[in-house]
Amino acid sequence: MTFNTLGLEPKILSAIADAGYETPTPIQQEAIPQILAGNDVIGSAQTGTGKTAAFALPSLQLLGAHQPGAAPRCLVLGPTRELAAQVKEQFEKYGKASPLKCTLVHGGVGYGRQRQELADGADVVIATPGRLLDHVQQKTMDLGSIELLILDEVDRMLDMGFIDDVKRIIRMCANKKRQTLLFSATVSEEIKRLIARSLKNPVVVAISVKISPAETVKHEVYPVGAMQKFDLLVALIDSMEVDSMIIFCRMKVGADRITRWLQQQGYSVAAMHADLNQKMRTQALQDFKDGKIKILVATDIASRGLDIANVTHVINYDVPEHSEDYVHRIGRTGRAQREGDAATILAPDEESKLVAIEKFIDQQIPQRRLDGFNYLYEPRIREAEAKPKRSRRNSSTSRFGRRR
Ligand code: AMP
């Protein structure tokens, strides 16, 4: 299978060749001809599968040339500013032979530039829901002209509480000829209801793909007592040949603390989470992409969708709360068939989360120990002393190797 068979025009094929892509990924093989045929499409694909190109390439072809001064014809709606910026990059990369005007509309920055760009005329608007609605309210953006509506990472938008905003935006895109594409890693009942209301006879692409870790990622768990987590993190970093690493933490304060501690030890590191202002987030991401910073310490804001090339290592400093986030976090490495390593630091009170993840991905993650690091479980030992009933379990050993 090559890109030549999908119905794409020569200038887009040439941009694909320039990007260095040889064969279309499965989601591209299935989605591109359907989108070009004008169908509504539901795409279910895990992160790193090339889904952005699966919608950007045919969209560019359908939109054709830039229309100076015209109202926006295509709207891409996504959950985060970073993801929106990345989608824009891809539209520009694949569309360089006949550049369309793409405008980013997201929060965390001033309105002035966005207003100006919208007034100048944009073919494609790539937006997060809240700021887009602000522009609609201020009448600096009208959605009635949208012919192609792309809802990206819908499950994430719903997780982030954007459901009502997304529904309102869809209703405002009232053009009768509208084509709608919906991409989501998982399709919940709520998303099915949204689909039923918003898409016309949609073609389902790869809906049955189970979200699972990319095969190119080697992932392991490192059990350790909670007090030794940071020391283990440092030992792991030192044992790896790190070109670029993302360390995931559950909490923003945790990410800040780890960043500070690593900086104190002389590592090249920056933090990335929702409490930082947009300038700091963009700067951290850019420095990381440029290789000026080797380690990014992030919360789950960075775990999905972000396409940072060449991430060689991911470390989960905390076991993620939601099993799906495990797949998204480790999916930051091993992208587009490159090899990657992921390590998860497991403290005893996180065991139940690991069990849930292993059930979700339907595999046991290999466990490794580093010398000098013990899987001590003090809190529950104390708990067991306080509640004699629990001491009956003392004689068994869990699969995590700790004596209960
Ligand atoms: P995405 O799933 O859209 O985040 O894409 C993940 C990565 O795959 C991006 O770096 C793309 O540039 C890359 N990519 C997309 N399509 C292909 C392809 N057909 N061959 C190789 N890499 C690709």
Side-chain angles (χ1 to χ4, degrees), residues 120-239:
D120 290 347
D123 303 287
V124 181
V125 172
I126 302 154
T128 53
R131 178 58 68 94
L132 182 73
L133 284 171
D134 287 350
H135 279 285
V136 172
Q137 219 157 29
Q138 295 169 15
K139 305 215 181 313
T140 39
M141 163 103 203
D142 176 17
L143 297 175
S145 56
I146 298 298
E147 297 162 10
L148 184 55
L149 171 63
I150 302 168
L151 306 166
D152 193 16
E153 306 243 347
V154 172
D155 48 353
R156 187 64 163 176
M157 286 201 277
L158 268 46
D159 282 353
M160 292 169 75
F162 288 139
I163 178 75
D164 291 331
D165 287 353
V166 172
K167 281 186 192 161
R168 274 182 70 198
I169 291 167
I170 295 173
R171 272 199 306 275
M172 288 171 176
C173 294
N175 188 327
K176 289 236 162 18
K177 289 190 300 191
R178 188 189 83 207
Q179 181 178 4
T180 310
L181 317 176
L182 181 148
F183 290 82
S184 189
T186 51
V187 181
S188 62
E189 287 306 313
E190 194 167 28
I191 296 180
K192 282 186 191 153
R193 282 196 294 275
L194 190 72
I195 288 168
R197 289 156 54 147
S198 328
L199 277 75
K200 292 185 296 277
N201 305 321
V203 178
V204 179
V205 168
I207 197 86
S208 62
V209 171
K210 185 172 172 0
I211 121 161
S212 58
E215 280 161 17
T216 48
V217 181
K218 187 172 116 221
H219 53 142
E220 291 170 327
V221 166
Y222 288 81
V224 71
M227 300 296 281
Q228 281 190 301
K229 268 185 149 186
F230 184 72
D231 292 337
L232 176 62
L233 173 68
V234 171
L236 282 172
I237 298 173
D238 291 346
S239 71

Side-chain angles (χ1 to χ4, degrees), residues 19 21 51 114 125 167 190 207 243 288 317 331 357:
Y21 307 161
K51 77 173 160 59
Q114 294 174 4
V125 172
K167 281 186 192 161
E190 194 167 28
I207 197 86
D243 269 341
F288 186 62
Y317 190 76
I357 289 167

Side-chain angles (χ1 to χ4, degrees), residues 3 21-25 28 47-53 90 93-94 305 307 335-336:
F3 278 101
Y21 307 161
E22 285 166 8
T23 43
T25 63
Q28 292 164 0
T47 179
T49 52
K51 77 173 160 59
T52 316
Q90 294 215 32
K93 175 160 97 176
Y94 309 133
D307 180 26
R335 286 167 86 69

Side-chain angles (χ1 to χ4, degrees), residues 317-331:
Y317 190 76
D318 303 301
V319 179
E321 198 79 38
H322 303 292
S323 301
E324 234 178 277
D325 282 336
Y326 178 78
V327 180
H328 292 297
R329 284 181 179 194
I330 72 167

Side-chain angles (χ1 to χ4, degrees), residues 225-330:
M227 300 296 281
Q228 281 190 301
K229 268 185 149 186
F230 184 72
D231 292 337
L232 176 62
L233 173 68
V234 171
L236 282 172
I237 298 173
D238 291 346
S239 71
M240 296 166 170
E241 269 180 46
V242 178
D243 269 341
S244 60
M245 168 185 279
I246 304 182
I247 299 170
F248 283 107
C249 299
R250 226 176 2 245
M251 315 275 279
K252 290 173 262 192
V253 284
D256 277 337
R257 200 166 41 224
I258 306 279
T259 306
R260 212 169 43 243
W261 288 349
L262 287 175
Q263 275 166 345
Q264 281 163 3
Q265 305 226 2
Y267 293 93
S268 154
V269 55
M272 163 99 169
H273 57 69
D275 274 1
L276 301 175
N277 66 36
Q278 183 59 25
K279 204 167 153 214
M280 290 162 93
R281 279 161 67 170
T282 309
Q283 188 65 49
L285 199 60
Q286 198 54 49
D287 287 350
F288 186 62
K289 282 184 174 179
D290 293 346
K292 286 190 199 151
I293 283 169
K294 291 214 177 297
I295 303 174
L296 199 63
V297 183
T299 53
D300 283 299
I301 187 180
S303 74
R304 288 209 196 188
L306 276 195
D307 180 26
I308 304 167
N310 304 323
V311 175
T312 54
H313 297 83
V314 165
I315 296 185
N316 292 317
Y317 190 76
D318 303 301
V319 179
E321 198 79 38
H322 303 292
S323 301
E324 234 178 277
D325 282 336
Y326 178 78
V327 180
H328 292 297
R329 284 181 179 194
I330 72 167

